[in-house]
Amino acid sequence: MIAYELTGLLAGTACYAAGASLALYEVLARRPRPRLLQACLLTGAFLIGVAIAIRWGRVGHGPFLDMYEILLSNLFSLGLLYGLAHWRFPGVRVAALPAMAVIAVLSTWAVGVPREAGVLPATYENSWLWVHVIAGKLFLGACLVATSLAVVGLFPARWREPLLRIYQGAREGFQPRVWRWLAGAFVCLSLMLVAGAVWAQDAWGRYWNWDPLETWAFATWVAMVAALHARIAFRMPENVGYGLVAGVFVLAFLTFFGVPYVSTAPHQGAV
């Protein structure tokens, strides 16, 4: 079973690598291939999902605990959510290269981390955990879309303008599109924090304890509030706004992947 699990991970990683290569080709050749890229993303997500299902059956719990399981679950959710966004919203296709670069990095990381199985704590047997986790996945997916668009916005004009011309619907409403996705991410992050607090009360008898993961998640929420408030209240240069969006994603990335990598606190997974 371990061999099948690894095969699913490697096959999914190969699909994501092919998608990243295709996104680079689209930029260099200026020839979009949306259906092929969507096939790479959704096939990769399916194969990662198979690996998760095999591991779940083998260890008896979902992918909540260690660094490998966190990477595996987020590879599935990010590939699926970005693939669906790429299919459903043509305006986000212009930013496929930055998004695929993030997914490719996570895929490479997942292949190299230890895959030992842990024991699920009794505190994780709670329905609010699922609300917390699903909201977190939706948050990170929406934040990835917003940030990949912001990165394109930060490109020099001589690179950005040709891309906006070749992707249908990319130019119209580009800047508001970035902030709409960030606002959607903010709603999901808020739900994640509320559901996490309710779960913590049921599991440990307290709503909040300022452990490393809670602290970094709250810092990300504050950064999103600040960025959205600055967008509404001030006349910021576009590049400053895009930089704020990218900064939020850096915090989110550290919350989801940096803290579980270094933390020894009991609450280090389930993101």
Side-chain angles (χ1 to χ4, degrees), residues 102-239:
V102 171
I103 294 174
V105 167
L106 293 176
S107 300
T108 305
W109 188 0
V111 170
V113 298
R115 289 181 286 276
E116 292 87 358
V119 178
L120 189 73
T123 52
Y124 281 53
E125 299 287 351
N126 189 300
S127 58
W128 280 102
L129 170 67
W130 285 98
V131 180
H132 175 66
V133 169
I134 291 171
K137 304 304 186 193
L138 292 172
F139 155 69
L140 196 62
C143 197
L144 178 65
V145 175
T147 304
S148 59
L149 288 167
V151 169
V152 171
L154 290 170
F155 284 174
R158 66 180 182 278
W159 297 352
R160 182 180 65 248
E161 292 305 317
L163 290 177
L164 294 176
R165 283 196 296 268
I166 63 174
Y167 286 92
Q168 179 184 5
R171 183 186 296 278
E172 294 79 13
F174 179 84
Q175 187 183 21
R177 186 177 301 120
V178 175
W179 291 100
R180 282 197 299 270
W181 280 98
L182 191 71
F186 174 73
V187 172
C188 295
L189 178 59
S190 300
L191 176 60
M192 185 190 88
L193 293 178
V194 171
V198 176
W199 166 43
Q201 172 64 22
D202 286 349
W204 297 293
R206 47 83 177 166
Y207 288 101
W208 199 266
N209 197 43
W210 295 105
D211 73 22
L213 197 56
E214 291 172 347
T215 302
W216 278 86
F218 183 68
T220 304
W221 186 86
V222 170
M224 294 189 80
V225 170
L228 291 166
H229 174 72
R231 161 69 174 171
I232 295 169
F234 304 108
R235 294 183 177 272
M236 294 186 298
E238 288 187 8
N239 283 356

Side-chain angles (χ1 to χ4, degrees), residues 10-31:
L10 292 175
T13 297
C15 287
Y16 288 155
S21 300
L22 182 60
L24 179 60
Y25 166 80
E26 290 184 346
V27 170
L28 296 178
R30 297 179 184 175
R31 297 180 62 184

Side-chain angles (χ1 to χ4, degrees), residues 63-76:
F64 304 130
L65 293 182
D66 56 24
M67 194 68 239
Y68 172 69
E69 291 179 352
I70 291 168
L71 286 167
L72 202 63
S73 65
N74 280 287
L75 281 173
F76 169 73

